[in-house]
Structure formats: C-alpha cells, structure tokens
Amino acid sequence: MAKTSVHFILKGKSDYKDLAPIFRDILMGTLETADQVPEEEEFTMILNLNLDDLEQNRKPEGYLRKARVRIVFPMDRKEFFVQSYSPKNVDLARIKADISDILDKAGIKYDCTEDDDIKFDLKD
C-alpha cells in the first residue's frame, strides 16, 4: 500500500512559532510538488492566515482545501502532516525530504513518521 501521509511531530522546545519563518517554504514546496499551487491572491490569503496563528504560537488552520494534498495540524499534539488523497500522483517521499531539509536548516527538533491509516483520537 502506498503512503498516504507523512507526519512531522515537533519535539523538545520546538513550537508553532518556530515554523513561522519557514512556513511559506513548506507550503509552497508542498503545493508545487503536488502541482496544485493556487492563484497568488489565494496563496497569500492562506499563507497570512496561517502565519498569524504561527507567529502567536497557536495551532494554525493548515491547508485543508479539497485537492491532492492537505497540510493538517491536529488538535492533540504539536504536529503537522501532509496527507495525500492521490498517492499515485503525489510524491510524498519528495515532500518528506523537502520539509525535513527545511526543518533541519531551521534547527527545529522533530520526529517524522509515515502512516497509511490515520487514526484520530476522539475524546469524550
């Protein structure tokens, strides 16, 4: 079975605010690899919406448009993942390598995992 998601779990003192300076590169690189870069106006809106939250050290919205990939920030831990809805058309290995390189250069501590079956903890 092909990978459907790649997860980046922030660890140690790394936090959302540390993603702010590099989020544009993460977002643009992911969307370029998936061949789904939106028009400049829409991209700027999505970027600014996420940067506002990241700069204030809050969980951002991510990129949740109906498309080949989504960037999701789950509620239960400081993590983001790229989920592919079309693994045959999206090179998740390249996305993983590109984002890992960006995070490494920024000095952000993280663990990276891959998951074929995303499970969400539903809390009562």
Side-chain angles (χ1 to χ4, degrees), residues 1-121:
M1 179 184 271
K3 292 180 297 206
T4 58
S5 64
V6 60
H7 299 248
F8 299 90
I9 303 155
L10 302 180
K11 61 185 219 180
K13 293 185 180 186
S14 294
D15 217 331
Y16 291 129
K17 68 183 181 309
D18 301 319
L19 297 175
I22 59 171
F23 188 72
R24 183 184 215 299
D25 295 335
I26 291 171
L27 179 62
M28 181 58 84
T30 299
L31 296 178
E32 284 176 344
T33 299
D35 193 28
Q36 68 182 50
V37 178
E39 297 293 323
E40 182 63 33
E41 185 176 303
E42 182 182 356
F43 179 81
T44 300
M45 179 199 64
I46 293 163
L47 178 65
N48 289 337
L49 180 67
N50 283 282
L51 283 178
D52 286 344
D53 286 331
L54 290 170
E55 289 167 350
Q56 294 181 45
N57 206 33
R58 295 187 308 228
K59 181 192 99 53
E61 177 181 316
Y63 183 85
L64 302 173
R65 306 301 191 268
K66 186 174 182 179
R68 288 185 197 103
V69 296
R70 293 180 181 174
I71 300 174
V72 179
F73 287 82
M75 298 292 289
D76 60 342
R77 64 179 169 182
K78 295 199 179 190
E79 166 190 2
F80 67 96
F81 61 89
V82 178
Q83 183 175 21
S84 173
Y85 290 88
S86 181
K88 291 181 182 177
N89 298 325
V90 177
D91 188 351
L92 279 180
R94 179 174 168 205
I95 290 172
K96 175 185 174 184
D98 291 348
I99 292 175
S100 293
D101 187 48
I102 293 167
L103 294 172
D104 290 343
K105 286 180 181 174
I108 295 175
K109 304 290 184 215
Y110 65 97
D111 285 327
C112 186
T113 63
E114 298 171 10
D115 188 6
D116 290 331
D117 185 24
I118 298 171
K119 292 178 177 59
F120 296 97
D121 282 339

